Amino acid sequence: MDDGGRRHMLRALGAFAGVGVASLWAGCAAPTAAHESGGLPVPPSGVSGFAPAGTRRIEQIAPGVYLQHGLRGEIGPDTLGRTGNAGFIVGASGVLAINSGGSHRDGQALLAAITRSTALPLRGVLLTHAMQEFIFGASAFQAAGVPVLMHHDAARLMAARCEGCLKTLQRVLGADEMAGSRVPRADITFTAADAARALPDIGRPLRLLAPAAIAASPGDSAVFDDSSATLFAGALLDADTIPDVQDADLAGWHAALAALARLPLRRIVPGHGPVAGAGLVASVDSYLRQLEQRTAALLQAGTALSEVADAVDLPAFAHWQRYDSTHRRNASIVFLRQERALMLKDARHGT
């Protein structure tokens, strides 16, 4: 590739580096005005009846561990942006909520579900990462006097870009659906160094996991419940859903997954998708490695960037949600990063 072509690739990489701010749904989301779910269960498949748009299901998946299921599909009128999993853990003396939903209204529904499930006090809500379907319900928790916890780096990322996400949601979903929603400010922040002391005491042994380096995104965190061997994985793991690499450091992500694999996992609540077993860690790691290997081979072969999204076909993952959208974007992002690394290596060696 000549110098002009290399400069073009570097400019393109810079554009992708800013995609978290500019992209419509990458790291942000989209719904439309609709019904309040109130946390009511969705009728099982095949049962007659009508579930309003955005209806969520609350399920106890282990003793004292509850999941608010994210809806399958893209953010839009049918899901109201309620695509991310949330939940809560009930201890002997209190409750910890994990993620808050995609709007003030969605957060209110989760709060109502917690109140119906236990009379114990809600000690805090942890936001595991800065993505819109997980954070905008926090306003409902703070209005109820519940503190918001978040990794320092994730809180900085949220403050830097999520105002734009909120405006997009308000435009797409309407003012009514997003009424009361705002970009939250974390009441308590932590780093990897002090994560072990950051969680409130709920009378149940919990581990707050915070990778020392960037993994899926800056400031990722996860919660492991020792009593049930349940992991709330946040951005680190999606199930049957293509993970988004736009904010990731892939080396750091592989290291974080290796650490998760050493936990005595019985079940995993992913950021998106159904509850999974311990094998999910290896599945996500395999996707990332195959993505890197395939794009590296295309780079070596001199493939044009315009051809990459179509050329990075990974049949083993074609049935995962967002294969036709997020996977194609992932391929371009990783290809450009590898191209940049190659250019920098050449520059160091004077070639």
Side-chain angles (χ1 to χ4, degrees):
M1 177 181 293
D2 61 22
D3 289 343
R6 288 174 184 269
R7 286 194 296 272
H8 170 75
M9 292 295 280
L10 282 173
R11 287 195 298 271
L13 180 66
F16 269 101
V19 75
V21 178
S23 173
L24 188 58
W25 309 134
C28 292
T32 71
H35 251 100
E36 161 65 89
S37 74
L40 298 176
V42 176
S45 177
V47 176
S48 61
F50 174 74
T55 298
R56 296 244 217 178
R57 180 165 58 95
I58 298 287
E59 178 186 5
Q60 184 173 200
I61 59 174
V65 181
Y66 295 80
L67 166 64
Q68 184 187 52
H69 289 268
L71 301 179
R72 299 287 274 173
E74 302 287 347
I75 291 169
D78 293 336
T79 64
L80 301 183
R82 302 174 184 186
T83 57
N85 289 326
F88 56 97
I89 300 173
V90 180
S93 59
V95 182
L96 174 71
I98 303 160
N99 291 319
S100 65
S103 66
H104 184 84
R105 183 174 290 179
D106 197 17
Q108 287 179 317
L110 179 55
L111 273 170
I114 294 171
T115 301
R116 289 194 300 269
S117 300
T118 178
L120 290 170
L122 181 55
R123 303 293 189 189
V125 54
L126 172 71
L127 303 182
T128 59
H129 58 297
M131 187 172 285
Q132 59 193 356
E133 58 262 48
F134 300 93
I135 65 170
F136 287 129
S139 56
F141 286 82
Q142 290 180 314
V146 179
V148 170
L149 295 78
M150 199 172 197
H151 190 288
H152 176 266
D153 293 345
R156 287 183 61 187
L157 180 62
M158 179 173 67
R161 78 174 180 197
C162 289
E163 196 67 49
C165 302
L166 178 58
K167 289 178 180 177
T168 299
L169 290 175
Q170 290 168 334
R171 184 177 69 251
V172 174
L173 297 180
D176 177 66
E177 179 57 36
M178 296 303 295
S181 304
R182 57 178 171 78
V183 179
R185 292 176 62 91
D187 300 292
I188 300 169
T189 61
F190 56 88
T191 65
D194 58 14
R197 300 183 298 276
L199 286 182
D201 182 10
I202 65 168
R204 181 172 180 141
L206 301 176
R207 290 188 237 178
L208 178 56
L209 310 174
I214 295 175
S217 60
D220 288 327
S221 58
V223 175
F224 183 68
D225 173 48
D226 285 274
S227 301
S228 66
T230 300
L231 174 72
F232 280 82
L236 294 172
L237 294 167
D238 285 334
D240 296 341
T241 304
I242 297 294
D244 195 329
V245 307
Q246 70 156 352
D247 293 320
D249 179 284
L250 294 181
W253 202 343
H254 290 305
L257 293 178
L260 293 183
R262 293 192 288 270
L263 293 171
L265 296 169
R266 187 175 302 160
R267 66 184 61 79
I268 296 170
V269 176
H272 302 91
V275 175
L280 177 62
V281 178
S283 294
V284 171
D285 192 66
S286 178
Y287 168 76
L288 297 175
R289 292 189 186 279
Q290 289 188 43
L291 174 66
E292 292 171 280
Q293 291 164 3
R294 182 67 180 133
T295 53
L298 293 173
L299 181 60
Q300 183 68 28
T303 306
L305 174 61
S306 60
E307 300 172 4
V308 169
D310 291 325
V312 181
D313 185 28
L314 299 179
F317 307 99
H319 64 287
W320 284 11
Q321 291 275 310
R322 303 178 184 174
Y323 183 80
D324 292 331
S325 54
T326 303
H327 171 66
R328 292 172 62 85
R329 186 174 67 246
N330 285 350
S332 297
I333 291 171
V334 174
F335 181 89
L336 284 167
R337 289 176 182 172
Q338 291 172 338
E339 170 67 14
R340 180 177 184 272
L342 181 61
M343 286 188 287
L344 292 175
K345 179 180 177 181
D346 289 349
R348 285 195 299 269
H349 290 85
T351 59

